[in-house]
Amino acid sequence: MKKSSAFIMVVPGLVILAVCLFLPLLKVLVPSFNTGDYPFSAYLDFFKDGYYLKIFLRTVKVAVITTAVCMAAGVPTSYFISRCGKKWRGILLSVSIFPMMTNSVIRSFAWINILGSNGIVNKFLMTVGLADKPVKLLYTDFSIIIGSVYLFLPLMIVTVAGIMENIGDDMMEAALSLGADRFKAFMKVVFPMSLPGIIVGGILVFTGTLTAYTTPQLLGGNKNMVLATFIYQRAMSVGDWNGAAVISLIMIVVTLAVIKGFNALAARLDRRGGSHA
């Protein structure tokens, strides 16, 4: 295909993005640059404010922990699914994807029933004598992380399983025949070859958790706000659209920085793998 033909095919999409995304975004963000005594002072004030900084750090902490848990749980699960027969592989992938077909509000309310004062977990703890009174599990960072893992783990599993399916069993058999045990063979052969999928899954989970609104709002409450819920409060409750724009741009910058960091890590690991080869 000629470059001119390819460019013509891309133009409609670029126009839609410009009109529906970039122009409205600029209209919201540009006024925030000149808010305050000097340009970008609103952004410096954001990081000087202890309350704002606490919300920012909580958001990043929740996103990092959620991504780490999803990687730790998703990689072994993906490997197991990828090594099953086609029939069972399809069934297990369908089961993994099924939670994504349920509305996030319904999923969050399910966790409220599980983690609440009269929920399943607290009833079990008090029944077996591990707690005398209900333990505060709901409306905490812990509940946000649990809900986020449940929300985004399927993304990690599906992404990594798609990569691992293309890794032949003969690679593992070769490593085993050379004296490696199964765990070492997995870490030396399967894991490095799966890194592109793991990195893509990590990006999806981190950015999704960083920008999620419904789950943190329902499971974290107003006392454990993250950036997404803070934006809603500033814009809709307080009417501070410039403040909401400041938070939005900070989220965009953090997201782009994380994506760039993951890509740099992938390139570095790829070069290292090539040099070892």
Side-chain angles (χ1 to χ4, degrees):
M1 182 182 293
K2 295 181 179 180
K3 291 184 178 181
S4 58
S5 301
F7 178 76
I8 293 173
M9 294 178 66
V10 172
V11 167
L14 293 177
V15 171
I16 293 173
L17 283 175
V19 174
C20 299
L21 178 62
F22 294 121
L23 292 179
L25 192 62
L26 289 175
K27 185 177 180 180
V28 173
L29 294 179
V30 170
S32 69
F33 299 154
N34 296 317
T35 301
D37 299 331
Y38 48 87
F40 299 100
S41 62
Y43 294 89
L44 295 177
D45 293 340
F46 178 90
F47 290 102
K48 290 179 181 178
D49 190 300
Y51 179 68
Y52 293 177
L53 186 59
K54 183 178 180 181
I55 294 175
F56 173 79
L57 294 176
R58 178 188 293 122
T59 306
V60 174
K61 180 185 73 173
V62 168
V64 169
I65 294 176
T66 299
T67 304
V69 173
C70 286
M71 284 183 173
V75 172
T77 304
S78 300
Y79 179 71
F80 175 78
I81 292 175
S82 67
R83 290 300 174 265
C84 293
K86 289 185 178 180
K87 178 181 177 180
W88 281 105
R89 191 185 311 162
I91 293 174
L92 292 175
L93 282 175
S94 299
V95 171
S96 301
I97 298 172
F98 180 76
M100 298 177 65
M101 301 178 183
T102 308
N103 186 276
S104 59
V105 176
I106 297 174
R107 282 179 284 184
S108 297
F109 273 114
W111 280 108
I112 290 174
N113 290 326
I114 295 172
L115 301 176
S117 298
N118 296 318
I120 298 172
V121 174
N122 271 311
K123 286 183 178 179
F124 172 77
L125 293 176
M126 290 188 289
T127 300
V128 299
L130 294 176
D132 298 327
K133 59 181 181 179
V135 180
K136 185 175 177 56
L137 300 174
L138 194 61
Y139 306 127
T140 61
D141 292 353
F142 171 78
S143 62
I144 299 175
I145 292 170
I146 289 293
S148 299
V149 169
Y150 180 68
L151 183 65
F152 293 109
L153 181 58
L155 282 177
M156 177 65 72
I157 292 175
V158 172
T159 303
V160 179
I163 297 294
M164 288 184 172
E165 285 180 3
N166 297 321
I167 301 176
D169 292 332
D170 54 340
M171 303 290 291
M172 281 287 289
E173 292 174 0
L176 294 173
S177 66
L178 294 173
D181 55 43
R182 296 198 68 85
F183 178 76
K184 190 173 183 180
F186 174 83
M187 295 303 298
K188 293 290 186 179
V189 177
V190 178
F191 184 77
M193 296 179 69
S194 306
L195 276 176
I198 296 173
I199 289 173
V200 171
I203 291 174
L204 293 175
V205 173
F206 185 91
T207 56
T209 306
L210 188 76
T211 57
Y213 170 79
T214 304
T215 299
Q217 177 64 35
L218 294 177
L219 299 182
N222 293 328
K223 293 184 178 180
N224 295 276
M225 284 195 296
V226 295
L227 291 179
T229 56
F230 195 34
I231 289 175
Y232 181 86
Q233 184 201 64
R234 301 307 301 175
M236 306 306 296
S237 299
V238 182
D240 181 13
W241 284 93
N242 282 331
V246 170
I247 303 168
S248 301
L249 184 57
I250 290 173
M251 290 180 66
I252 293 172
V253 171
V254 171
T255 301
L256 294 177
V258 169
I259 293 174
K260 185 175 181 180
F262 270 111
N263 289 333
L265 176 63
R268 182 176 180 182
L269 292 173
D270 186 56
R271 288 195 298 269
R272 181 180 296 181
S275 63
H276 287 321

